Amino acid sequence: MNVTFRQIKVFQAVARSMSYTEAAKKLHLSQPAVSMQVKQLEENIGLPLFEQMGKKIYMTDAGNEFYVYAQEITRLLDEADAVFEEMKGVHGGKLTVSVATTANYFATRLLANFAKQHEGITISLDVTNREVLLKRITQNETDMVIMGRPPEDMELETEVFMDNPLVVIAPPDHPLVKEKEIPFKRMQQETFVVREQGSGTRIAMERFFAEEGVRLTTGMEMTSNEAIKQAVEAGLGLGIVSIHTLELELETNHIKVLDVEMFPIMRHWYVVYRKGKRLSPVAQAFREFVLEEGPNLMIAGR
Ligand code: PGA
């Protein structure tokens, strides 16, 4: 089989987006160049990898099979890269970190402090929700992830480094603001502005209501904590957010944390990477830095 690494990269990009146009954009190539690479790869293999039905493309059985090999080949090359980086030491090198939307309230500061200690490294930070983070790990697209409790059914290395308390927030003029030890059941009468499906905060809050047998009424759905806080401030409902997102609003009294029984819901932050992944020296140094410095970060709620 006379396959080039470039063909593999192009194939992976098409397989991930299921679109020649998207893959071309991502790779900064023209769409015909992408189709051509795939066509040559298919000729080399002797089987079609994609098939077109109407406007959509689908992966054939051969395509699915080749995808597994392509991932393994890329992983091995990354690993070889890491070995050579290790020989070069921590100076220079590239670090790709993906963090949960909520973790970004402190992750940027962590990365900035780390970068100060390691001149010459290049850092790429990707901020996204839990669901996408897990995809990034499976597809080996990131060195390390900072997220809430990782799933137990995946092959992962996980280390906890900090608490993540989730609290109920309300606008300052809400009648419950003055009350103490509000029974959790009382939340049944409120509407909540919530994060999108796939967010760790959303999953934790839904699980908590379900476990306690309390009905959760959801209103608007938003993909950022900033939007949630603004919606709560505007009186669109109550919210449940990590206390780490609140520093400014609490100082300026724009938002109040309600004293609800059984709150905060205690989540934790983890450093996570794929089991068996050989970390580059810079990734290894960052892992140690997070475990050491994370607990000392001066952030809201500490
Ligand atoms: P989120 O993640 O930003 O996706 O809600 C935070 C968490 O997992 O607690």
Side-chain angles (χ1 to χ4, degrees):
M1 199 162 42
N2 188 17
V3 171
T4 68
F5 190 53
R6 185 179 172 77
Q7 287 168 353
I8 293 178
K9 282 276 175 208
V10 170
F11 165 76
Q12 282 176 311
V14 178
R16 273 182 207 134
S17 57
M18 277 302 166
S19 148
Y20 287 102
T21 321
E22 281 302 311
K25 253 194 242 159
K26 209 155 186 171
L27 298 167
H28 305 290
L29 291 173
S30 68
Q31 205 246 340
V34 168
S35 312
M36 174 65 84
Q37 292 283 337
V38 172
K39 198 161 165 276
Q40 283 171 356
L41 180 62
E42 289 176 328
E43 275 165 16
N44 278 331
I45 292 176
L47 286 168
L49 300 173
F50 298 101
E51 58 193 353
Q52 182 120 21
M53 274 189 240
K55 280 199 170 142
K56 277 187 127 184
I57 59 165
Y58 296 86
M59 202 121 92
T60 61
D61 286 348
N64 278 317
E65 200 65 38
F66 189 66
Y67 188 72
V68 177
Y69 286 105
Q71 290 294 94
E72 201 53 25
I73 292 163
T74 320
R75 191 184 66 75
L76 280 171
L77 273 173
D78 284 348
E79 201 174 295
D81 201 29
V83 171
F84 297 128
E85 282 297 319
E86 198 164 332
M87 291 176 170
K88 291 182 212 158
V90 182
H91 313 290
K94 190 168 185 278
L95 175 67
T96 310
V97 182
S98 306
V99 307
T101 314
T102 306
N104 200 34
Y105 284 84
F106 59 84
T108 321
R109 208 167 333 151
L110 264 180
L111 280 165
N113 292 346
F114 180 72
K116 272 186 215 146
Q117 290 182 13
H118 298 88
E119 273 177 37
I121 57 165
T122 320
I123 297 175
S124 148
L125 171 66
D126 164 42
V127 183
T128 181
N129 73 29
R130 177 183 176 86
E131 199 171 288
V132 182
L133 288 175
L134 293 173
K135 218 168 99 202
R136 295 262 190 280
I137 301 181
T138 335
Q139 303 194 335
N140 204 21
E141 291 171 345
T142 186
D143 287 325
M144 208 162 292
V145 160
I146 294 179
M147 65 184 298
R149 190 172 78 184
E152 272 150 28
D153 57 354
M154 280 174 71
E155 297 272 289
L156 302 172
E157 296 287 353
T158 69
E159 285 159 299
V160 70
F161 67 93
M162 193 165 68
D163 289 347
N164 174 23
L166 304 188
V167 292
V168 185
I169 55 168
D173 58 356
H174 195 283
L176 288 178
V177 167
K178 290 190 213 87
E179 292 194 25
K180 291 257 169 287
E181 290 174 30
I182 306 160
F184 181 49
K185 257 206 159 319
R186 172 68 181 72
M187 295 298 109
Q188 203 149 281
Q189 297 163 33
E190 301 291 328
T191 299
F192 283 81
V193 184
V194 289
R195 284 278 305 279
E196 78 284 9
Q197 297 282 354
S199 134
T201 310
R202 169 87 178 257
I203 294 168
M205 119 183 224
E206 283 180 344
R207 191 189 303 133
F208 194 73
F209 274 76
E211 276 170 8
E212 296 301 324
V214 170
R215 185 172 28 85
L216 167 66
T217 309
T218 57
M220 263 189 221
E221 194 176 287
M222 316 188 162
T223 54
S224 90
N225 292 304
E226 289 306 304
I228 300 256
K229 288 185 290 183
Q230 282 173 21
V232 168
E233 209 185 314
L236 291 175
L238 298 184
I240 291 183
V241 293
S242 160
I243 198 145
H244 302 327
T245 68
L246 288 175
E247 209 156 11
L248 251 182
E249 290 77 6
L250 294 181
E251 265 172 36
T252 53
N253 278 325
H254 277 110
I255 274 187
K256 293 285 185 191
V257 171
L258 295 185
D259 180 10
V260 181
E261 251 176 33
M262 292 189 292
F263 271 76
I265 304 175
M266 194 51 87
R267 276 175 76 71
H268 299 92
W269 291 117
Y270 291 75
V271 184
V272 182
Y273 54 92
R274 217 166 91 161
K275 218 176 210 127
K277 185 174 176 70
R278 231 172 131 152
L279 296 182
S280 67
V282 55
Q284 183 58 29
F286 183 65
R287 175 190 151 267
E288 282 161 21
F289 183 83
V290 174
L291 296 178
E292 235 166 72
E293 298 298 317
N296 307 324
L297 274 178
M298 294 298 290
I299 46 179
R302 319 286 312 272

